[in-house]
Amino acid sequence: MQAVRQDPLLGSSETFNSFLRRAQQETQQVPTEEVSLEVLLSNGQKVLVNVLTSDQTEDVLEAVAAKLDLPDDLIGYFSLFLVREKEDGAFSFVRKLQEFELPYVSVTSLRSQEYKIVLRKSYWDSAYDDDVMENRVGLNLLYAQTVSDIERGWILVTKEQHRQLKSLQEKVSKKEFLRLAQTLRHYGYLRFDACVADFPEKDCPQLREGSFRVTRMRCWRVTSSVPLPSGGTSSPGPGRGRGEVRLELAFEYLMSKDRLQWVTITSPQAIMMSICLQSMVDELMVKKSGGSIRKMLRRRVAGTLRRSDSQQAVKSPPLLESPDASRESIVKLSSKLSAVSLRGIGSPSTDASASDVHGNFAFEGIGDEDL
């Protein structure tokens, strides 16, 4: 699916990103100065880095990698995510921080301690785990995230699988632990909060599950609207409540050889879902071209990466607790590059202009025999 890519008329992406960076900084009226920024690992461990308020996402990611002593060529396997922490300690994803964003400004402008920045792996194909596990720090990050996802109920385990995992933990066999985890249901998935969908039909029972292949999504769009108060008037008046923004993700799906159908999902996390779809398609295109996501990030300081004077080790998480049988998988976006899994109940679709639609470069035609 085509990213929200820069128009050639805007010049280079560097110039465009610089413009967006300045716009964000000036809008929030934040002066450029050195500050300490807290970034969390998946296991809750805090990493404190010194950055500038004007540093973009890539700058902060590099600073965190330097603090953890993560090699340069593995930085591209990880991303920073803005999350909202709930009272029970669980968190929901707000969005993946984009290149042009200023992480310090993004999180502090929300003026709430609920919002945090978390470091997680950014790829979908578990085959890339091999690249990350070659390095001690990469292995520890991936291990800590997997243990955390199991404890949160995002990765589902049976009692026997849990026993095997705990045994491997006790032996400190991290690679073997991850190999077993890769075979578990929902490994590598990104879980979302409960949503509403209009497929397979409107008002269908909640928790019905379906699978959508990314390569059969011709295009997608995100739309927003503010519901009108009772009475249908948009003019302000006594007793009118403040409407919440309604976000929808809709994608045009190839149901059969000659039939396309729009599927709409209503969720506050629609933007995050869209970003995930885009990253899936980007990864598909890289694999299709024979490329790799292993890359060196741009150097900003005299051609070299800024290194921290002191490194911070990734703490090993505690042993897994017994699985909670009451946990239930609700909403997720599949890590499988071939499919997106969604759960929800029905809601109506909305229209959007052509300029809001993102085309899918990975879209493939199919025959009825493929259905």
Side-chain angles (χ1 to χ4, degrees), residues 57 60 74 77 108 147 152 222 229 253-254 277 283 286 303-304 307 356-357 360 366:
T57 299
V60 176
L74 290 184
Y77 290 79
T108 58
V147 171
R152 294 178 186 276
V222 174
Y253 194 77
L254 189 60
L277 287 176
E283 192 171 314
V286 168
T304 59
R307 282 291 173 189
D356 298 323
V357 176
N360 181 4
I366 60 172

Side-chain angles (χ1 to χ4, degrees), residues 329-342:
S329 176
I330 301 178
V331 181
K332 60 198 177 291
L333 194 56
S334 170
S335 68
K336 309 295 184 183
L337 284 172
S338 61
V340 179
S341 296
L342 304 162

Side-chain angles (χ1 to χ4, degrees), residues 1 212 216-221 249-253 255 261-265 277 340 342:
M1 296 174 189
F212 297 92
R216 294 184 188 175
M217 295 180 184
R218 191 179 71 87
C219 58
W220 91 92
R221 67 194 181 205
L249 169 72
F251 55 88
E252 193 174 24
Y253 194 77
M255 297 292 180
Q261 177 179 331
W262 281 96
V263 177
T264 302
I265 303 162
L277 287 176
V340 179
L342 304 162

Side-chain angles (χ1 to χ4, degrees), residues 131 160 288 366:
D131 295 343
E160 175 58 24
K288 190 173 182 179
I366 60 172

